[in-house]
Amino acid sequence: MHEYDTVLKSLLQSSQNIILERITGTRVERWLNVEFPEVQQTRVDLLGATAKPEHLIGLELQSTNDPNLPLRMAEYALRTYRLYSAFPDQYVLYVGDEDLRMRSELVGPNFSCRHKIFDIRTVDEESLLASPVDRVLDLCGCVAGASRSAARVGGLSSPGLGVKKNDGQSFGAE
């Protein structure tokens, strides 16, 4: 097909050609450069394979409200598909201080990409405390209602964690 690309493109771009207008329902006023220069290296925070080879899990860790997150997640999904021939189930774990305000989808005409966003503050702190990961207490400062487990967190906190109570006071050595 490559040998016909130039001829077909020229025909479709012709101002007298109505084929494209009939296909799309609109008239193209001007044609844009279709060469997309690529100079960035994209890295997904975590990408995991499940027992089913076609089922991937993508996890993005986010500490700020980024209005471009939906676009970034769509790019990650497409790049993952290019490498593994499978779209990942995408999740975002928000660990920021501000209230979560990011959208969980990028939608346009004939296109949509969705991901699920979880605020770390909504995760049950008992689950976090039961985790075998040594640094899990670093997350406890982000967990809403940290004061509910103040005694436990205060007793287990390591220096520099600065786990905050709801009233702004800190637990643990600082």
Side-chain angles (χ1 to χ4, degrees), residues 141-169:
C142 300
V143 176
S147 61
R148 287 183 286 172
S149 56
R152 291 185 63 197
V153 174
L156 298 173
S157 185
S158 64
L161 289 180
V163 176
K164 304 287 184 188
K165 282 200 291 187
N166 287 338
D167 62 3
Q169 295 178 357

Side-chain angles (χ1 to χ4, degrees), residues 116-136:
K116 293 182 181 178
I117 302 179
F118 293 91
D119 189 327
I120 190 71
R121 293 172 287 204
T122 65
V123 175
D124 174 39
E125 68 263 15
E126 295 299 320
S127 298
L128 292 174
L129 291 170
S131 173
V133 179
D134 290 339
R135 305 282 297 164
V136 75

Side-chain angles (χ1 to χ4, degrees), residues 1-14 17 31 34-35:
M1 180 78 180
H2 180 67
E3 61 270 13
Y4 300 112
D5 279 358
T6 304
V7 174
L8 287 172
K9 286 178 185 179
S10 293
L11 287 172
L12 290 170
Q13 290 175 331
S14 168
N17 193 318
W31 293 100
V34 293
E35 298 293 327

Side-chain angles (χ1 to χ4, degrees), residues 25-50:
T26 189
R27 184 170 186 78
V28 174
E29 294 297 320
R30 68 183 170 89
W31 293 100
L32 307 173
N33 181 8
V34 293
E35 298 293 327
F36 296 115
E38 185 102 19
V39 293
Q40 70 180 20
Q41 180 178 0
T42 303
R43 181 167 295 164
V44 176
D45 283 339
L46 295 168
L47 183 64
T50 67

Side-chain angles (χ1 to χ4, degrees), residues 12-166:
L12 290 170
Q13 290 175 331
S14 168
S15 59
Q16 291 84 26
N17 193 318
I18 61 168
I19 294 172
L20 189 63
E21 190 173 338
R22 289 207 177 149
I23 292 171
T24 64
T26 189
R27 184 170 186 78
V28 174
E29 294 297 320
R30 68 183 170 89
W31 293 100
L32 307 173
N33 181 8
V34 293
E35 298 293 327
F36 296 115
E38 185 102 19
V39 293
Q40 70 180 20
Q41 180 178 0
T42 303
R43 181 167 295 164
V44 176
D45 283 339
L46 295 168
L47 183 64
T50 67
K52 298 177 184 176
E54 70 281 358
H55 187 212
L56 302 174
I57 301 293
L59 180 66
E60 184 69 9
L61 305 173
Q62 188 66 33
S63 63
T64 61
N65 282 296
D66 181 0
N68 292 321
L69 179 69
L71 176 59
R72 207 167 77 236
M73 296 303 287
E75 290 171 343
Y76 292 163
L78 293 171
R79 288 173 182 261
T80 299
Y81 185 83
R82 187 180 304 236
L83 284 175
Y84 297 101
S85 299
F87 286 109
D89 287 341
Q90 292 185 296
Y91 301 89
V92 175
L93 183 59
Y94 177 67
V95 295
D97 291 329
E98 297 178 14
D99 288 340
L100 174 63
R101 296 186 314 274
M102 292 177 287
R103 293 179 302 132
S104 62
E105 63 183 0
L106 180 65
V107 179
N110 299 314
F111 179 83
S112 67
C113 183
R114 291 177 176 78
H115 53 276
K116 293 182 181 178
I117 302 179
F118 293 91
D119 189 327
I120 190 71
R121 293 172 287 204
T122 65
V123 175
D124 174 39
E125 68 263 15
E126 295 299 320
S127 298
L128 292 174
L129 291 170
S131 173
V133 179
D134 290 339
R135 305 282 297 164
V136 75
L137 289 175
D138 287 340
L139 296 174
C140 290
C142 300
V143 176
S147 61
R148 287 183 286 172
S149 56
R152 291 185 63 197
V153 174
L156 298 173
S157 185
S158 64
L161 289 180
V163 176
K164 304 287 184 188
K165 282 200 291 187
N166 287 338

